[in-house]
Amino acid sequence: MSNAGFTEVKHVPVNQAVQDYLTRSSSPPDPALSGLVDATLAVGEASGMMVTVEQAALLTILTRLVGARTAVDIGTFTGVSAMAIARGLAPGGRVVTCDVTDRWADIARAHWEQAKVADRIDFRLGSAARTLRSLPADTVVDLVFIDADKMNYPTYYEAVLPLLRPGGLLLADNVLLDGYVLDPELAEPGLPRRAAQTLRAFNATLAADDRFEAVMLPIADGLTIARRR
C-alpha cells in the first residue's frame, strides 16, 4: 500500500508513565549523579534549570562518540551537564564550563569531586561571550553545549563557530521552550515572548545553516544536535 499523498506521523506522547518507562529502560545513574540531582532539587524553584538525567546520559554518550578532548559547557548551574560531559572526555580532556553566578558552585564542585571528574572541569565565572573570547586563538573545540539565557543563543552560536572543528557537535537545550517556539505570541508578554521569538529564529537559522547537519529531538524541553560539516 502506497503512502504517497500523506505523511504518517509516528509519535508517542510522553506522559509520566512513558517517562518512567524510558528511565527504567536506560542505564541507571550512578550515586554521584543521583546525589547531584538530589542536591539540585533541594535548591527549590531554580532546580527547573537542571538538565534531566536522560539528557546527562546522552551528553556523556555524545562526548564519547566524538572522542572529545576539549568541550565547552555554556551554563553551569549546579554542574550536572559539566559532570556528564567530563565523564565522556578522552584521556587528558577538559570541559570549560561558565556561568554568570557562582551561587551553586560549591554544590557542583563537591559532586564533581565525588564523581572523580573535578580535574577535568575548568569553571569560569562570567559571561559566556567573555569566556569564549578569553580562550586561546588556536583553541579547537570538539563539543559545545548551550544551556544558558535564551536571548543570547544567537550570540553563543556565532561565538563558538570559529572554534568548533569539522565533525564537532553543537548541542542546544530548551529549543522547544515549552512549545512556545511554535507560536511565540502565546507566551507571556515581555521577556518570555522575546525569548520564544529569539529561539524560534535561532532554530530556523541553525536548520538552514549548510555548515551543519542538524536534528531536533523532543527530549526534555527539546535538544538540537548539530554536527559541523
Side-chain angles (χ1 to χ4, degrees), residues 36-51:
L36 180 50
V37 169
D38 290 343
T40 303
L41 292 174
V43 307
E45 186 177 349
S47 65
M49 295 189 294
M50 177 180 63
V51 299

Side-chain angles (χ1 to χ4, degrees), residues 59-222:
L59 285 173
T60 301
I61 290 171
L62 291 174
T63 304
R64 286 196 177 117
L65 284 174
V66 298
R69 291 184 57 85
T70 301
V72 175
D73 175 43
I74 300 176
T76 308
F77 186 38
T78 61
V80 175
S81 54
M83 176 191 287
I85 293 168
R87 284 180 152 172
L89 291 171
R94 69 163 182 160
V95 52
V96 176
T97 184
C98 58
D99 210 312
V100 294
T101 177
D102 59 359
R103 179 179 176 184
W104 299 284
D106 288 344
I107 295 174
R109 291 191 181 98
H111 289 85
W112 293 341
E113 291 284 354
Q114 182 183 353
K116 299 185 180 353
V117 296
D119 60 334
R120 306 174 209 169
I121 301 175
D122 179 2
F123 173 71
R124 308 279 183 95
L125 178 62
S127 72
R130 187 174 71 196
T131 297
L132 291 168
R133 287 195 301 269
S134 72
L135 296 176
D138 60 350
T139 299
V140 177
V141 173
D142 304 295
L143 180 143
V144 177
F145 179 54
I146 303 175
D147 184 23
D149 55 310
K150 311 314 166 192
M151 295 298 295
N152 277 313
Y153 270 38
T155 300
Y156 304 146
Y157 165 64
E158 293 296 336
V160 300
L161 264 174
L163 307 175
L164 191 62
R165 67 164 172 84
L169 295 182
L170 171 65
L171 312 175
D173 197 19
N174 301 115
V175 290
L176 291 176
L177 203 65
D178 293 323
Y180 287 117
V181 291
L182 300 177
D183 187 353
E185 294 305 308
L186 295 178
E188 290 292 323
L191 182 59
R193 185 172 297 173
R194 294 197 303 274
Q197 292 166 340
T198 298
L199 271 183
R200 182 179 175 90
F202 168 80
N203 292 338
T205 298
L206 185 52
D209 191 335
D210 60 10
R211 293 169 294 187
F212 288 94
E213 47 188 344
V215 60
M216 183 184 291
L217 303 179
I219 180 173
D221 194 25

